[in-house]
Amino acid sequence: MARITIEDVANEAGVSITTVSHVFSGHRPVNAETKQMVEQVAKRLGYRPNAIARSLRLRTSQTIMIVVPDITNSFYPEYARSIQDVIGPAGFHSLLCNTDAREREELAFLEEARSRRLNGVVFVGFRVEPEALRPLADDGICVVNVGGPVPGSTIDSVCFDDRAASAEMTHFVIDRYGSDVALIDGDAEAPVSRHRREGFEDACREAGVPDREMVVLLEEFDRAGGARGMRALLDREVRPRAVVCANDMIAIGAIDVAREEGLRIPEDVAITGFDDVDLATVVTPQLTTVHADGPRLGAEAGRLLLSRMTGEHDGEGRHVVVPHELVVRASA
Amino acid sequence: MARITIEDVANEAGVSITTVSHVFSGHRPVNAETKQMVEQVAKRLGYRPNAIARSLRLRTSQTIMIVVPDITNSFYPEYARSIQDVIGPAGFHSLLCNTDAREREELAFLEEARSRRLNGVVFVGFRVEPEALRPLADDGICVVNVGGPVPGSTIDSVCFDDRAASAEMTHFVIDRYGSDVALIDGDAEAPVSRHRREGFEDACREAGVPDREMVVLLEEFDRAGGARGMRALLDREVRPRAVVCANDMIAIGAIDVAREEGLRIPEDVAITGFDDVDLATVVTPQLTTVHADGPRLGAEAGRLLLSRMTGEHDGEGRHVVVPHELVVRASA
DNA sequence: CTGTTAGCGCATTCAC
DNA sequence: GTGAATGCGCTAACAG
C-alpha cells in the first residue's frame, strides 16, 4: 500500500537514487551489472516511477487534451482516435474530454489544461470564442483550434469549409427538387451550425428564394433534434419538398418521423445529412450527405499539434482546410 | 510563457505563500482584506495553481481511468459518459483510454494508472485476466472490473449476465425459426464473446442440436466482421435460417450482406444483435437484440468506484449484475 | 562510472 | 491571523 519510491529501490540495491534514475531513463551510461541488479530489485519491489513527480520536475506531462462537444456522436470518437494515432507514437498521452456543448464545461477544461501543464490542446468549441484559447498559448501550451484561425497567435487551426459544403449540398437539392427546401440546423450559436446555415442561405439566395421564405429551424445536433425539427416541418401548411440537415444524426431523426408519417424518401421528401458517419450507410434509405472526413481532420490536427510540441515548428499559427465531398446516395 | 507560481503571487501581494495557499484552499481563515487582495493579484497575474505540484504533495490526482476496447462502438462512449456523470460531480476527472482490444495496450494503461497515482480505474478487459488488476489494488488504487469478480481482493465488479442473455436470445430464435441457427461471435478470447458463445451453446444443446453441428464463427466485434461472417455463412451448403450475432455491429454487417444478396429479413434469414445501441433502431429492419444498458452499467460501475474512493466503502469486493432485456423488433 | 545536492510548486506543521 | 521551513518523488547539474 505504501508506494515504492526510487529511494526504496536505491537503498535496497545499495546505490544512489541518481543511478536508479539513470538506469530507467538511459540518460547516462550505467555499469551493466549495476543496471541489471537495479532492474531486478525494482521488479522485485514492484517499483513504478511516479509520473507526477517526474512531470513536476520536467515541467511537462507529455499529455494533451482533446475537447469535443459530444462523444456520443460517432464523428468525434473517430476523430479523436485519429489524433491519438498520430501523437501516441511520439510518446504523448491524451485526455478525451466531453463538454456536452456547454460553455461552462468548455471553459473548465481549458482552465484544467493550464492547471495540469498539458503540452497541447485540440479544441472543438461550440460556445466559447477561439479567443479564449489565447491564454493557453501564452502559457506555452500548444493549441490547435478546430474551426477558424486565431490571428496574431501561435494557435494552429483546422476545419472543413462548412459554408461552402453546405451551399453545395443545398444547390444540389434545389436543382433536383426545386426551391421548396428547409434546413434543420443544429444549434443557434455553434460555429459549425452558423457556417452550415450560412451556406444554406447563400444557396437559397442564389436560387432566388427570398429571405423571408427561407425555412430554418434550430434544434439540437442529435436524433431527437432531427425528429422535433421534422415534426415541426410537417405541421406547416406547405411542407418542404426537401430537408437539408446540419448533420447526420439530425437527418436520421428526420427520417424516423418521415417514415412514421408514411412518407417516401426521397419521393415525398428528400433528406440530406452532413458528416457521413457510419450511420449514414445503415439507415434506409442510405443518406445523401457531405463526407466530412473525421479521421482526416483528426490526423491533420494531430500533425499540426505534434510539429509544434516537438518544436519542429513555431511561430505564427497555420491554418488548414480539409476537403469535403458530396456523397449522393438514396435519400436525396 | 514563464508560468506564474504561488510564489509570484505571494511576492506581488506582499504576503507569504502560506497565505496565498490558504486563500485558495480555504483550509484556514484569512483576513478578509488580505484575501480579496490576494485574489485580485492572482487574477491580474493570471495565476493557475499547478495541479501537478498539488498532486505530488497531496498524493492524489483526483482522477480515474476508464479503459475500453473500442471507443468507436457507441456502446462504450455512452457507458463512459455515464461513469463521468457519477464521478464528475464528486470532483473527479477521468481519462478515457482506448485499447483496441490489444493486450499490450491494456497492460500499458494499467501500468500508466499506477505511474500516475490515479485514484481509480474502471476496466473492460479483452485480453488480460482480471488478475492483472491486483497490483493496482495493492497500490491502493480503487478498481472496478467490468466482468467477473476477483476473489479475495478489494476489486469490485459489474457485468451483465451475458451467458444467460445469449441463451435466452438463442432459445427465442430457435423457437421461432427452428434449430438451424448460427452464431457470429466477436472474438476468440474476450470474456464477453466467450460468455455469449457459451450461452448460445447452452441453448443449442438444450434444443438438441448436436455439438458437431453447431455453427460458430469467430470474427471481429464490428461491422466488417459481421459482413465477413455472413458471407462465410452464405457460402455454406446449408444456409442457416437464423443468425445470432454477438453484438449489434456484427448484426449490422450481417444485414448489409444479407440485403446485398437479396435475402429478405427475417423471411429468408433472421438476424439478431446484442447491446441495443442506437444503430439498432436505425437499421432496416430494426434489430431484435438484447438490451444491455450501457449507461446503467457505467452508472453502477461509477457508484461502486466512487463509494470506494470516498472511503464510504472498503473491504471485500462487491459484485453487481445489471439486468438485461430481450427486445424483439423486426429482424427476428 | 557514480554520488551529492538543489530545486520543480505546492500544502502543511510548527512557531509566532 | 500569519509566516518559515520541510518534504512529496524525481531529474540533472555539478563534482568526483
Side-chain angles (χ1 to χ4, degrees), chain B:
Chain B
M1 178 77 191
R3 249 74 162 238
I4 306 295
T5 75
I6 199 172
E7 196 181 348
D8 300 326
V9 177
N11 289 153
E12 183 78 12
V15 298
S16 73
I17 63 169
T18 307
T19 298
V20 177
S21 175
H22 283 106
V23 344
F24 280 94
S25 70
H27 281 356
R28 114 180 162 185
V30 173
N31 178 294
E33 283 178 41
T34 325
K35 181 173 172 179
Q36 203 173 21
M37 194 254 289
V38 168
E39 278 165 349
Q40 249 165 39
V41 171
K43 180 149 46 161
R44 181 157 56 75
L45 263 40
Y47 170 67
R48 286 264 80 211
N50 183 326
I52 296 175
R54 176 200 233 106
S55 290
L56 181 61
R57 178 66 235 251
L58 262 26
R59 301 155 126 146
T60 168
S61 54
Q62 293 299 99
T63 109
I64 71 155
M65 177 181 270
I66 302 172
V67 182
V68 302
D70 179 13
I71 202 186
T72 264
N73 177 340
S74 66
F75 179 86
Y76 293 108
E78 306 245 8
Y79 147 87
R81 200 176 176 301
S82 181
I83 296 177
Q84 289 170 340
D85 285 346
V86 1
I87 63 117
F92 289 93
H93 299 272
S94 59
L95 310 177
L96 183 47
C97 301
N98 188 225
T99 63
D100 279 328
R102 281 196 295 254
E103 180 171 22
R104 232 202 16 212
E105 318 294 332
E106 293 187 347
L107 288 170
F109 284 128
L110 258 25
E111 286 302 275
E112 178 75 8
R114 299 219 291 150
S115 279
R116 295 178 87 135
R117 303 317 194 239
L118 297 184
N119 294 75
V121 169
V122 186
F123 187 72
V124 178
F126 261 45
R127 292 285 171 270
V128 134
E129 295 300 313
E131 286 300 324
L133 298 171
R134 259 184 223 280
L136 305 216
D138 292 344
D139 272 7
I141 298 177
C142 304
V143 4
V144 3
N145 181 42
V146 175
V150 183
S153 74
T154 58
I155 299 171
D156 296 314
S157 53
V158 212
C159 69
F160 295 113
D161 190 345
D162 281 312
R163 184 167 182 166
S166 180
E168 274 172 48
M169 178 57 93
T170 307
H171 271 131
F172 167 82
V173 158
I174 291 179
D175 275 0
R176 264 207 189 174
Y177 306 99
S179 62
D180 206 0
V181 58
L183 171 73
I184 306 181
D185 199 1
D187 196 294
E189 305 302 335
V192 235
S193 10
R194 213 176 50 234
H195 297 147
R196 292 178 188 177
R197 190 160 65 239
E198 288 164 351
F200 174 82
E201 293 168 348
D202 292 346
C204 284
R205 283 198 199 96
E206 275 181 44
V209 180
D211 276 26
R212 48 171 44 226
E213 285 181 19
M214 270 188 231
V215 182
V216 174
L217 266 49
L218 299 169
E219 295 291 345
E220 298 223 346
F221 269 121
D222 58 20
R223 199 171 170 184
R228 272 195 306 278
M230 194 62 181
R231 253 178 236 117
L233 252 22
L234 296 184
D235 281 348
R236 292 175 156 248
E237 294 173 38
V238 318
R239 292 177 165 188
R241 177 65 189 78
V243 179
V244 172
C245 301
N247 82 354
D248 290 344
M249 302 307 294
I250 294 179
I252 306 281
I255 288 179
D256 286 342
V257 340
R259 299 183 78 185
E260 265 171 32
E261 297 296 315
L263 298 171
R264 290 163 308 160
I265 305 168
E267 292 79 3
D268 299 320
V269 238
I271 294 176
T272 69
F274 206 115
D275 282 351
D276 197 18
V277 295
D278 221 37
L279 282 160
T281 57
V282 172
V283 240
T284 305
Q286 294 198 351
L287 267 186
T288 287
T289 189
V290 172
H291 180 72
D293 194 332
R296 170 80 183 280
L297 185 74
E300 229 42 90
R303 256 190 287 283
L304 288 171
L305 191 69
L306 190 57
S307 72
R308 230 173 239 286
M309 292 193 302
T310 60
E312 181 194 310
H313 176 93
D314 57 356
E316 193 70 3
R318 296 155 290 173
H319 183 61
V320 359
V321 177
V322 176
H324 58 263
E325 194 183 346
L326 219 71
V327 181
V328 180
R329 288 198 271 251
S331 75

